[in-house]
Amino acid sequence: MSQALEWLRCCAYFFRRTGVDHELEKEASLHIEMRSAELEASGVLRAEAIVQARREFGPVLRMQENSREAWQFAFLEQTVADLRYASRQLLKSPLFAMVSLLSLALGIGASSAVFSVVYGVLLHPFPYKGAERMVSLGFLLSGREVQDLLKTNVFDGAIAVDSWDMSATGKNLPEAISAGKLSANAFEYFGVPPLLGREFRSSDGPLGKEPEHLVVLSYAFWQSHYGGDATVLGKVLQLDHVDYEIIGVAPQQFALFHSDVYVPLRLTNDPDRIETVDARLKAGITPAAAEARLQPLIESFAKESPKHFPPNVKLHLTKLNAETEQRFQGTLMVLFVAVTLLLAVGCANVSILLLGRANARQHELALRSALGASRERVVKQLFTEALLLAGIGCLLGVGLAYSGIPLILRWLPENSFPNNAAIQVNGLVLCFSILAAFSAAVVFGLWPSFRSSRPDISRVMQEHTKRAGGSIRGQQLHTALIAGQVALTVLLLAGAGASIRTFLQLYQSRLGFDPRHLLTVGLQFPDGTHLQIDERQNFYSLVRQKAAQISGVTAAAIYPFGFPPQAHFTRRLEIFDQPSTQGHAVYTNPVSREFFDALKIPILQGRIWSEQEDQRAAHVVVVNEAFVRRYWFAGNVIGRKLRLPNFKAFTWWMLARPNTNDWLEVRAVVGNTPNNGLSRPVGPAVYLPYSLVLGDSFHLAIRTKGPPLAIAESFRRAVHTADPAQPVNRIATAEELLSREGWATEQFVAKLFLLFAALALILAAIGLYSVISFAVTQRYRELGIRMALGAQRTAVVRLIVASASRAVSAGLMGGLILCVLSNGALKHWTRGSMYDSGVILFVAVLLLLVMTVASVGPAWRATTVDPMTALHHD
Amino acid sequence: MESAQFLPGTLHMLVLKTLARGPMHGYAIAKRVKEASVDGLIIEEGSLYPALNRMLVKGWVSAKWGTSENNRKARFYSLTPLGKKQMQTEADEFERLVSAIQLAMRTV
């Protein structure tokens, strides 16, 4: 109560403080007057009386100030005054302010933004319930087998999933829609509530029965096709000529398979209708323990239906985000380290700048002390300045972090995340960066008050007027900071160099085909159409012919799915007369004869099979160079025989010719193209006529004269004339496909690394520049004397640069040692290596060049010192 | 500000005690304190005013402009009920402190 009243009184004071000041003055003069009158009355002379009264009273101004301070708000006023003073100081040296703020903002913003992506991708990638316990079985199972699995008490839930393309029908042109087919219990399993309406549930698709025709829209599809209209519920979406009722919209974070819509999957007891199975382990059961417990069950499944399982079946559970983790862990860890280095360089920069300023302000602070400022007062003022600087810097940093995340996400390769809504600024890291930058700013902002408990006022004041050289102690700290900064910059530059080299190697690595002017298109039959193998082949062939006839197309080839750098699938190999090869895996690509022509894959030996052989599904094969190196060291390859014992697909959507497992005759050898990703060596591969096995979807590779996407529309029309119900599902240029395949990832890493390294280099250069400028200012008189005594300009420059070059070379050495030490770690995470003479040489030269420019500028300024001015300089 | 002879806080107590006699302006308070202590306590007169301001903030005294005995405009300070209570607390506290010190001086 009394506290509140006190506060109110203070508030009241705050609004009439000029009045109060006036009153205090009046009171003081009245007091002195009364006292002198009294003294005068006792016989003292008037003039003397006034002097004595004044002496007895003490300093009037201090009394006023102390009285004002009594009103508590004095503290606030002081702070406001300090802030005003501090901002004036910052405005007075805008370059200093800008550079410090930039260093802080970059350190905080860049590190938080990148770590937030790390967190979003690796640590919290899925919005599902118990996502960390979700595993994929890696086998296709029937509905009954799934039921058996669930009875084992290892899982607390399982779903069957399938990603499928359907056509939206009922409109003029059929449109391809990617559908996630999920067993009806899927949404209960994932535990993700709908954004709108409801999701389908177990009762909507019981085992062995046709599921209800219900559809849940993905958020993206709802936005793009219905404009986010909430009245969409209950409407009908026709898919493959069947009406589906729209019952709900999934939330934005739910992006399984990146499908457009989700429909219930038909789960049957039919052993041939088998699906991919995902399951969630019970809490406390590790994947390894689960594998051990389930292995006998899987073996019994394999015994019952051997054609659905590989021989010697071995259960391997894959964690849900294992793939993403594997692909990005290294990249993101390296980037995070890079960003931490950048934060450190930024902090060092702020420290250097503040340190230089602190030294320059010694005189001002000594003056303040001389005029009676208490040490607490000086510390408070310096603290306010540091706080102001750090506060603005941190605000900018936070802004940068928030605006940086969308930028990074835009840079990321497409579809590289399970979902893209969960990536937000990570509060913890933001706090960490802010704390780091803030501490640097405050510690070094308060530096002058640390340097001596009470400055020797007279010494500083006199020294300043007579000083010839700077203090040794300040310079040592500067040297250490610069050296540290340079070392970290070297590390960053080398890391950037290594990652750019990796990218360039990928770029230049022989693709073995020409991705330019090459279009790929994918078609998928609407469910339940083209069920006869001959009809399928005719349709494939018809579409290919129509594509080849489009003007501007030079070649069109059929391939089912695998496009370099991926193979279609692997099959077991057996070479005639070489029984030891039995069981070896070989990359297998069923293609039409034009494939090599369309991709411009060179033919090294023999001839490709003929069109007639394509038509009648002849037992012929073409092998790649890697195959020849691996299996036929010498001798003629053409005419030899091999077979693929498990070639006949066990997947029900594939139709195969009889005798596909028979011997195939080798007709030609072609050049290598990557078939196991861009970065891994090319494996042995075989190509055989597409007509041997025909799936319900296929692709065409179309070589064009001009820009490949220009013919996309003509192709759509051509397909429409072949079959009005047939949509075109996928259209992408070969170059786009390549960028999805790691190409873009490497490019992304290289770009980010380069950005960080450039920023670090700039910050380090600025740090060095300000240190040398500072040294020049400090040694102004000394330089003037030297010049007056006849020193050469070059000698003066050398003098100034010498100290800087010590710091830079120490930093360079330290940085190179750091590179060697951390190279192992980098290699562990990515394929790049910093231990590369080219990279190291480049880094060293670049660094020395930048550092020379940064240091010679201010040093040259030193030589323009006019001796007379310098000697008179305070 | 405070002369060395002052125990911390005693200035407040003395001023409050002085004001217990009735409203007074600053000069009168200073004179009264000086006289009462027979020069044993020397205060820099200026330091009285910050102390008065602190007490105003605390609500121990109130101030009002009035006319002095020689017909000048002066600020008269008077004790509030809260101030009276405070004076008693401080006096008791001081008594306790002094007797504790005396006891210690005798026994050591």
Side-chain angles (χ1 to χ4, degrees):
Chain A
M1 179 65 194
S2 66
Q3 279 288 319
L5 282 174
E6 225 178 287
W7 192 80
L8 274 177
R9 277 193 288 271
C10 287
C11 278
Y13 161 78
F14 191 72
F15 291 108
R16 48 178 287 269
R17 58 202 152 149
T18 38
V20 171
D21 280 359
H22 188 63
E23 283 174 9
L24 283 169
E25 218 176 287
K26 250 165 75 181
E27 260 188 301
S29 62
L30 180 70
H31 186 115
I32 292 166
E33 223 171 278
M34 281 177 160
R35 176 65 184 151
S36 65
E38 203 181 72
L39 285 169
E40 226 177 315
S42 70
V44 184
L45 280 175
R46 183 175 166 74
E48 225 169 281
I50 292 175
V51 171
Q52 196 186 335
R54 285 222 169 112
R55 194 171 54 236
E56 281 175 12
F57 191 83
V60 175
L61 281 175
R62 193 156 79 189
M63 164 276 197
Q64 282 182 337
E65 189 155 303
N66 285 334
S67 301
R68 274 201 296 269
E69 257 177 23
W71 294 94
Q72 304 278 313
F73 261 99
F75 179 78
L76 196 76
E77 269 186 83
Q78 219 179 61
T79 312
V80 171
D82 278 349
L83 273 177
R84 209 181 297 144
Y85 181 75
S87 36
R88 261 207 305 264
Q89 286 277 342
L90 286 186
L91 286 177
K92 218 173 71 185
S93 36
L95 198 67
F96 161 81
M98 244 167 55
V99 174
S100 324
L101 292 179
L102 198 73
S103 309
L104 283 169
L106 283 178
I108 295 167
S111 51
S112 315
V114 171
F115 187 81
S116 303
V117 175
V118 175
Y119 184 84
V121 174
L122 287 181
L123 304 181
H124 191 70
F126 297 101
Y128 315 143
K129 185 179 78 186
E132 67 287 347
R133 287 181 281 126
M134 286 185 178
V135 290
S136 177
L137 261 65
F139 295 122
L140 303 171
L141 298 179
S142 72
R144 196 185 47 76
E145 287 166 340
V146 174
Q147 300 294 326
D148 285 351
L149 266 183
L150 282 177
K151 282 184 208 142
T152 57
N153 251 349
V154 170
F155 299 117
D156 72 0
I159 52 162
V161 292
D162 201 354
S163 173
W164 206 250
D165 274 4
M166 295 174 98
S167 326
T169 46
K171 292 183 217 151
N172 291 341
L173 263 178
E175 188 193 352
I177 285 175
S178 73
K181 290 191 173 180
L182 314 175
S183 55
N185 66 331
F187 285 105
E188 293 153 347
Y189 170 80
F190 285 122
V192 179
L195 183 71
L196 228 86
R198 71 172 185 98
E199 290 152 337
F200 44 81
R201 37 185 177 249
S202 307
S203 53
D204 292 324
L207 176 68
K209 294 208 180 96
E210 188 64 29
E212 302 286 328
H213 289 143
L214 305 172
V215 60
V216 172
L217 307 182
S218 75
Y219 181 83
F221 187 79
W222 179 53
Q223 287 294 332
S224 64
H225 284 66
Y226 295 96
D229 179 10
T231 65
V232 72
L233 299 179
K235 285 190 180 161
V236 167
L237 177 65
Q238 202 185 70
L239 297 169
D240 291 345
H241 305 286
V242 177
D243 284 347
Y244 285 79
E245 186 196 341
I246 299 172
I247 56 165
V249 177
Q252 197 176 3
Q253 307 94 285
F254 189 84
L256 189 70
F257 305 134
H258 291 270
S259 297
D260 292 325
V261 299
Y262 299 96
V263 294
L265 175 84
R266 182 162 173 249
L267 261 190
T268 70
N269 283 315
D270 178 357
D272 276 339
R273 297 283 297 197
I274 51 179
E275 309 295 348
T276 311
V277 175
D278 284 352
R280 179 169 53 225
L281 293 169
K282 285 206 162 142
I285 298 179
T286 64
E291 279 166 15
R293 279 171 67 176
L294 295 176
Q295 181 66 22
L297 189 66
I298 295 290
E299 278 169 18
S300 74
F301 290 166
K303 210 175 279 171
E304 273 171 48
S305 48
K307 63 175 176 163
H308 296 144
F309 292 92
N312 302 324
V313 58
K314 185 99 187 73
L315 180 65
H316 180 70
L317 300 176
T318 319
K319 282 206 161 193
L320 198 55
N321 60 345
E323 191 206 358
T324 328
E325 223 168 85
Q326 199 195 349
R327 267 183 72 186
F328 279 92
Q329 192 159 36
T331 304
L332 289 169
M333 285 318 290
V334 166
L335 280 181
F336 184 62
V337 171
V339 122
T340 313
L341 292 180
L342 184 65
L343 179 65
V345 172
C347 287
N349 225 27
V350 174
S351 309
I352 287 171
L353 287 163
L354 284 168
L355 203 58
R357 223 167 120 77
N359 284 328
R361 287 180 68 178
Q362 262 189 317
H363 184 243
E364 177 205 327
L365 296 181
L367 194 65
R368 279 165 177 274
S369 294
L371 290 177
S374 66
R375 178 154 190 250
E376 290 73 40
R377 191 69 195 79
V378 170
V379 169
K380 186 163 177 273
Q381 187 214 320
L382 287 173
F383 191 65
T384 312
E385 281 186 38
L387 278 188
L388 182 70
L389 192 70
I392 299 176
C394 288
L395 270 182
L396 289 177
V398 170
L400 197 66
Y402 275 91
S403 51
I405 286 187
L407 281 179
I408 296 182
L409 290 183
R410 209 173 310 148
W411 251 1
L412 278 175
E414 207 189 330
N415 285 354
S416 52
F417 296 106
N419 67 76
N420 47 21
I423 296 169
Q424 304 158 332
V425 170
N426 183 289
L428 202 69
V429 172
L430 193 64
C431 290
F432 167 75
S433 321
I434 288 177
L435 210 67
F438 214 80
S439 325
V442 169
V443 167
F444 285 90
L446 283 178
W447 189 254
S449 57
F450 290 150
R451 290 197 62 176
S452 52
S453 58
R454 191 166 278 282
D456 183 350
I457 296 161
S458 61
R459 187 185 59 81
V460 176
M461 301 287 286
Q462 285 170 25
E463 191 188 58
H464 196 81
T465 49
K466 288 188 181 158
R467 186 179 52 206
S471 86
I472 302 290
R473 193 145 51 108
Q475 280 180 4
Q476 276 171 347
L477 193 61
H478 266 137
T479 308
L481 278 171
I482 288 280
Q485 224 185 3
V486 168
L488 296 183
T489 307
V490 167
L491 193 58
L492 263 178
L493 279 173
S499 90
I500 289 165
R501 246 184 119 85
T502 312
F503 172 65
L504 286 181
Q505 270 164 8
L506 268 186
Y507 196 82
Q508 290 162 343
S509 68
R510 263 190 41 197
L511 283 173
F513 71 100
D514 186 358
R516 287 165 299 172
H517 299 298
L518 190 57
L519 191 71
T520 71
V521 292
L523 276 73
Q524 177 163 1
F525 299 139
D527 229 359
T529 61
H530 306 278
L531 294 174
Q532 297 302 313
I533 191 162
D534 286 326
E535 191 206 342
R536 245 182 216 191
Q537 188 183 334
N538 287 342
F539 189 70
Y540 274 35
S541 167
L542 177 67
V543 172
R544 193 203 73 74
Q545 277 168 25
K546 283 193 178 285
Q549 283 159 9
I550 296 171
S551 75
V553 171
T554 54
I558 296 165
Y559 68 96
F561 199 72
F563 191 82
Q566 297 296 339
H568 182 56
F569 44 41
T570 51
R571 284 290 175 262
R572 272 179 289 144
L573 171 72
E574 190 182 331
I575 298 174
F576 194 70
D577 287 345
Q578 287 189 33
S580 62
T581 59
Q582 215 167 345
H584 284 206
V586 64
Y587 295 110
T588 308
N589 304 285
V591 297
S592 74
R593 66 178 303 277
E594 301 84 6
F595 189 71
F596 310 96
D597 211 20
L599 269 72
K600 293 196 179 167
I601 297 174
I603 295 152
L604 306 176
Q605 267 184 62
R607 291 179 56 193
I608 308 297
W609 62 80
S610 70
E611 188 157 357
Q612 286 72 31
E613 282 168 321
D614 243 348
Q615 291 297 328
R616 63 180 163 85
H619 281 64
V620 292
V621 67
V622 165
V623 300
N624 72 351
E625 216 182 337
F627 188 98
V628 176
R629 286 228 186 101
R630 175 76 179 75
Y631 296 110
W632 287 302
F633 291 103
N636 194 11
V637 180
I638 311 300
R640 302 191 69 155
K641 283 186 158 51
L642 61 88
R643 73 189 199 103
L644 308 168
N646 67 339
F647 182 44
K648 185 169 172 172
F650 55 73
T651 39
W652 56 268
W653 58 87
M654 290 282 246
L655 302 176
R657 299 277 172 196
N659 311 325
T660 47
N661 300 348
D662 280 358
W663 294 106
L664 307 160
E665 187 191 324
V666 176
R667 284 291 176 79
V669 178
V670 294
N672 284 338
T673 58
N675 44 24
N676 188 20
L678 278 170
S679 49
R680 281 174 290 269
V682 179
V686 296
Y687 299 86
L688 23 74
Y690 73 96
S691 37
L692 283 164
V693 281
L694 295 140
D696 58 0
S697 70
F698 69 101
H699 286 80
L700 294 182
I702 303 173
R703 178 152 300 277
T704 58
K705 281 185 197 135
L709 284 172
I711 64 133
E713 207 37 54
S714 320
F715 179 74
R716 269 184 223 276
R717 272 200 306 271
V719 171
H720 195 63
T721 59
D723 176 1
Q726 176 63 51
V728 176
N729 302 59
R730 283 171 289 270
I731 293 189
T733 65
E735 283 171 315
E736 267 176 72
L737 292 184
L738 279 174
S739 64
R740 275 180 220 166
E741 279 287 339
W743 190 287
T745 312
E746 299 294 340
Q747 201 177 5
F748 167 67
V749 176
K751 270 190 202 164
L752 268 193
F753 233 130
L754 193 65
L755 180 73
F756 290 148
L759 290 176
L761 189 65
I762 291 170
L763 287 180
I766 290 172
L768 189 70
Y769 180 88
S770 48
V771 164
I772 293 182
S773 304
F774 167 67
V776 168
T777 319
Q778 260 204 337
R779 297 169 77 174
Y780 206 59
R781 280 175 60 87
E782 177 203 333
L783 298 178
I785 294 169
R786 282 176 188 270
M787 297 288 284
L789 291 177
Q792 295 294 312
R793 285 190 156 200
T794 47
V796 171
V797 170
R798 218 179 304 137
L799 184 76
I800 291 290
V801 174
S803 62
S805 63
R806 260 199 307 280
V808 170
S809 42
L812 187 59
M813 281 316 294
L816 292 181
I817 291 169
L818 275 179
C819 287
V820 174
L821 290 180
S822 54
N823 198 37
L826 185 77
K827 258 190 182 157
H828 175 72
W829 282 326
T830 69
R831 288 177 301 280
S833 167
M834 297 186 290
Y835 200 56
D836 176 303
S837 55
V839 169
I840 287 193
L841 194 72
F842 174 75
V843 167
V845 168
L846 180 69
L847 192 90
L848 288 177
L849 206 71
V850 170
M851 291 298 150
T852 310
V853 170
S855 58
V856 166
W860 188 253
R861 196 163 53 87
T863 65
T864 58
V865 172
D866 169 27
M868 279 318 286
T869 328
L871 290 171
H872 287 125
H873 185 72
D874 60 348
Chain B
M1 170 179 93
E2 273 85 9
S3 22
Q5 294 89 332
F6 260 106
L7 277 169
T10 46
L11 180 62
H12 284 176
M13 191 178 65
L14 284 170
V15 171
L16 288 170
K17 188 78 185 159
T18 311
L19 285 176
R21 295 160 165 258
M24 255 179 232
H25 56 72
Y27 179 68
I29 299 171
K31 205 172 155 196
R32 187 79 215 134
V33 170
K34 222 184 331 185
E35 278 169 9
S37 55
V38 205
D39 295 338
L41 298 168
I42 300 157
I43 57 166
E44 203 173 56
E45 287 161 22
S47 69
L48 178 71
Y49 291 92
L52 279 168
N53 274 287
R54 269 191 287 277
M55 287 188 279
L56 275 172
V57 172
K58 293 281 180 198
W60 298 340
V61 299
S62 57
K64 200 163 69 193
W65 285 91
T67 321
S68 73
E69 55 280 6
N70 46 12
N71 225 5
R72 297 282 309 270
K73 262 204 141 359
R75 203 178 191 196
F76 283 81
Y77 295 87
S78 52
L79 204 59
T80 64
L82 194 66
K84 230 172 240 165
K85 231 163 59 193
Q86 179 66 20
M87 179 184 74
Q88 204 49 54
T89 330
E90 285 200 15
D92 292 349
E93 185 66 17
F94 183 73
E95 205 81 49
R96 206 184 52 73
L97 186 71
V98 170
S99 47
I101 293 171
Q102 280 172 343
L103 186 69
M105 291 302 283
R106 272 201 295 273
T107 38
V108 169

